[in-house]
Amino acid sequence: MAAAEDAAGSQPGAGVPASPDRLAAQAGSPAGLSFPDVPRLELDELLGQLVERADDVLAAQGRLRGLLRANAAVAAELSLPVVLRRIVDVARELLGARYAALGVIGRDGQLEQFVHAGMDGEVVAQIGELPRGRGILGLLTREPVPIRLADLAAHPASAGFPAAHPPMGAFLGVPIRAGEEIFGNLYLTERSQGGEFTAEDEELAIALAAAAGGAIANARRFNESEQRRRWLAASGELTPLLLSGEARQPYDLITARAAAAAEADFAVLALPRGGGEVVVVSVSGLMDAELRREAAPLAGSLAGRVILAGQPILVPGGQGEAAAGPQGAGAGPTGPLMVVPLAAGEQVLGALILGRLASGPGFSEASLQMAASFAGNAAVTLELARARADQITLARMEDHDRIAADLHDHVIQELFALGMGLQGLAGRTSRPEHAERINGYIDTIDKVIGRIRASIFQLEARPQDPPALQAELLELIEEHVAQLGFTPRVRLSGSPDAGMDAALASDILAVAREALSNCARHAHATAAEISLAADDSLITLVVTDNGRGVGTPARSSGLASMRHRAERNGGTLQLTAPSGGGTQLTWTARRPPLDTADPFGD
């Protein structure tokens, strides 16, 4: 026993009380089970999985928070361009993509707008034209279901990349619906962490696209309400201006107000005229002013189509190349267009063309209807203004007839009787100086009677007040009297203002101003005569003076300007020296046809 105890004491742990488990194990009790290595490894794996699941939950929670922030950022704006830009930016950030884009689908099923993020301006400039919906982008447009690809270039529908385009592998595309309509597609490429987009990425993109669709629908409704407000304001401003009778250029007012209301880059107004033609009478915005007075056949032209049918039309972007003019040429490349008739009841007075540049967004159906309503209101207002002008003309004609009758029946007869009495008195006087003086009075009375008769003839021949061009020409002459030192004689014949174009009237006044200035500065004339005449096809302005000429015509910028104004109106400029001395300037211009359907040309 002592030996056994010594042996036990010599072992490790000797003298230390044994643990219960150890005692139980020594006694053969079930409580003596130990933990082998395999179950311990399984527990570690379970704990690791729990940690991974917790990480996944935290990651998912973070992405959900990101989605909520993205939804809030997108829904916070009502301006459609800003909404589209925010959708692209938050999608790129939320899904960790290097590049993101949003393609807006036009009425023709093609991409009409492409908003992108991730490429710097230099790369975009090198690529050039933005995508138009070919390849994978076109596939997503034709089949609006989510597409997730590991390698974009490997897909059979891929159309490849243009030069300078950065490489793109992983691709994720989802459609965006605004209500029941497919508004466009959201594209994401090149995952920042590498690899391809996951199913969770796809679900997140679909959720973002749904929120984006709602935001786009709200922005569209807000945009339409703002458009309606602008159109109503434009009509409210235009109507009193046209009815006031003070608008010298009513067509320019219409195009300017319409371009502003439609947020268009340019506006063109064309009217039909005899011979089956249509002619441009006003342009506004970025359109070339030389387009004014351009004519084209009524049948087959864009404006003519609308005038003949009386129905508004939309022209998508890319199909309106150089179509802003009536011929569809001469206006340069254009983007989307809308063309509306100026219809007053069943009568179509003309066509209003509103357009944007090639890079501009398209017009909506709602925009077209608003523009058509504005044009209809403008046409009715023009008709009311013309009816009012006719009413005023009739009233003036009645006044002129009454004045002419009073002058003829009373004033002339009394003056004639006075002259007869003076003539009899002159025959009975014995003093020659008295007779001579009385005969002078008789001659004065004869001259007064002649002037009154000329006034009566003018009242009967021209029942209206001097038209705008003639009145402005008379005012221009009055302005130069002090500079000239004398009052030029004026001769007016024909009806220059009938069907007069505002630009042509401006050219005539500019030429007359230059000619009068030359008489005062260079010719040193002491007498001058201005004649303005018009026939069926030509307007002729003749300025004759008794001065020393115009100096050196080849070096005169004024003469060059007058010659340019004549040539662009289909006319000529001639300088001649009358036999009695002095200079005669003859300036001509092709007259707009009198049968143009111009409400103010009657």
Side-chain angles (χ1 to χ4, degrees):
M1 290 289 291
E5 289 177 357
D6 291 340
S10 65
Q11 293 178 0
V16 179
S19 66
D21 289 343
R22 185 173 179 183
L23 293 174
Q26 292 175 353
S29 171
L33 294 176
S34 61
F35 293 98
D37 291 340
V38 173
R40 185 184 301 273
L41 292 175
E42 291 178 353
L43 180 59
D44 290 341
E45 289 178 359
L46 288 174
L47 291 174
Q49 290 176 7
L50 287 174
V51 172
E52 290 178 2
R53 293 289 180 88
D55 290 340
D56 291 342
V57 170
L58 291 175
Q61 188 178 19
R63 302 192 85 179
L64 287 175
R65 286 200 189 99
L67 178 61
L68 292 175
R69 287 195 301 268
N71 290 346
V74 170
E77 273 294 336
L78 289 174
S79 171
L80 187 56
V82 176
V83 168
L84 299 182
R85 168 55 57 188
R86 286 201 175 179
I87 290 172
V88 173
D89 290 338
V90 299
R92 178 170 173 253
E93 179 183 357
L94 180 64
L95 292 160
R98 186 172 300 170
Y99 309 107
L102 194 155
V104 180
I105 302 175
R107 291 167 55 88
D108 58 353
Q110 302 298 318
L111 293 183
E112 69 172 15
Q113 194 176 353
F114 196 78
V115 183
H116 58 87
M119 294 187 189
D120 57 37
E122 184 177 348
V123 173
V124 174
Q126 291 176 356
I127 294 174
E129 184 182 3
L130 293 175
R132 287 295 180 182
R134 297 180 291 270
I136 298 296
L137 306 190
L139 176 63
L140 188 56
T141 299
R142 294 188 299 271
E143 302 176 7
V145 294
I147 298 178
R148 183 159 49 95
L149 302 173
D151 186 2
L152 178 62
H155 194 278
S158 176
F161 299 109
H165 196 286
M168 293 183 178
F171 174 84
L172 175 60
V174 293
I176 297 177
R177 289 178 170 83
E180 299 298 325
E181 176 190 0
I182 299 295
F183 176 82
N185 300 308
L186 180 62
Y187 312 111
L188 299 149
T189 59
E190 287 298 291
R191 208 161 177 261
S192 299
Q193 297 179 354
E196 59 183 290
F197 291 99
T198 64
E200 289 79 6
D201 292 333
E202 182 178 329
E203 292 177 359
L204 201 61
I206 292 173
L208 178 60
I216 289 169
N218 289 336
R220 275 182 162 181
R221 283 190 286 267
F222 176 78
N223 185 50
E224 288 180 6
S225 68
E226 282 295 295
Q227 285 186 51
R228 190 170 289 105
R229 180 192 61 78
R230 289 196 304 270
W231 282 113
L232 290 175
S235 292
E237 294 171 0
L238 181 67
T239 299
L241 287 174
L242 295 181
L243 291 178
S244 67
E246 299 176 359
R248 291 290 183 87
Q249 299 175 342
Y251 298 133
D252 290 345
L253 288 176
I254 293 174
T255 54
R257 293 298 192 281
E263 294 185 323
D265 294 315
F266 58 85
V268 177
L269 181 61
L271 301 181
R273 69 181 181 187
E277 287 187 326
V278 62
V279 61
V280 172
V281 297
S282 178
V283 295
S284 181
L286 301 179
M287 189 55 59
D288 191 352
E290 294 298 326
L291 186 64
R292 192 190 296 265
R293 294 187 299 279
E294 180 182 325
L298 186 63
S301 64
L302 186 61
R305 235 168 78 197
V306 171
I307 292 173
L308 293 174
Q311 297 296 324
I313 61 172
L314 281 176
V315 181
Q319 298 182 20
E321 291 294 319
Q327 284 183 312
T334 63
L337 303 172
M338 57 181 176
V339 191
V340 295
L342 267 71
E346 296 183 356
Q347 181 184 8
V348 179
L349 305 182
L352 177 64
I353 304 173
L354 297 163
R356 291 175 178 150
L357 299 180
S359 58
F363 295 103
S364 65
E365 193 70 34
S367 299
L368 182 67
Q369 297 306 319
M370 294 176 201
S373 178
F374 170 85
N377 180 73
V380 171
T381 305
L382 288 175
E383 287 293 280
L384 290 175
R386 182 174 66 172
R388 183 177 179 179
D390 290 343
Q391 186 178 14
I392 294 174
T393 298
L394 290 175
R396 287 176 177 172
M397 289 176 64
E398 293 176 357
D399 288 342
H400 291 168
D401 290 342
R402 178 181 56 78
I403 293 170
D406 289 344
L407 289 173
H408 184 271
D409 296 340
H410 300 288
V411 179
I412 288 181
Q413 296 301 327
E414 291 177 7
L415 288 174
F416 185 74
L418 177 61
M420 293 292 291
L422 289 174
Q423 192 172 17
L425 181 62
R428 290 194 298 270
T429 184
S430 58
R431 301 183 63 174
E433 64 272 15
H434 289 172
E436 183 179 356
R437 191 170 184 179
I438 292 173
N439 287 329
Y441 291 148
I442 294 173
D443 292 339
T444 301
I445 291 174
D446 286 341
K447 292 179 180 179
V448 171
I449 291 174
R451 291 176 182 172
I452 292 175
R453 283 177 172 168
S455 298
I456 293 173
F457 175 77
Q458 290 178 351
L459 286 172
E460 294 175 346
R462 293 187 295 141
Q464 299 180 354
D465 287 341
L469 174 60
Q470 299 183 43
E472 290 185 3
L473 182 60
L474 294 175
E475 292 177 3
L476 178 65
I477 293 172
E478 287 295 327
E479 293 174 2
H480 284 76
V481 168
Q483 185 182 11
L484 291 167
F486 61 90
T487 301
R489 294 177 58 189
V490 182
R491 294 175 57 191
L492 303 172
S493 60
S495 301
D497 271 279
M500 174 56 62
D501 180 279
L504 177 56
S506 177
D507 285 342
I508 293 173
L509 293 173
V511 171
R513 182 180 293 107
E514 180 66 30
L516 289 173
S517 297
N518 178 71
C519 289
R521 291 180 300 173
H522 305 297
H524 301 289
T526 59
E529 179 181 278
I530 296 180
S531 171
L532 180 64
D535 56 25
D536 292 341
S537 60
L538 209 63
I539 291 180
T540 304
L541 176 68
V542 180
V543 181
T544 305
D545 65 67
N546 63 351
R548 299 181 305 187
V550 295
T552 307
R555 300 179 60 184
S556 174
S557 60
L559 284 176
S561 175
M562 289 188 286
R563 182 172 289 105
H564 173 68
R565 292 178 186 275
E567 291 173 351
R568 76 181 182 187
N569 287 285
T572 59
L573 172 69
Q574 291 183 347
L575 285 176
T576 57
S579 56
T583 304
Q584 184 176 77
L585 182 149
T586 303
W587 186 92
T588 63
R590 184 169 59 88
R591 179 175 184 168
L594 297 182
D595 54 355
T596 298
D598 186 344
F600 295 93
D602 292 347

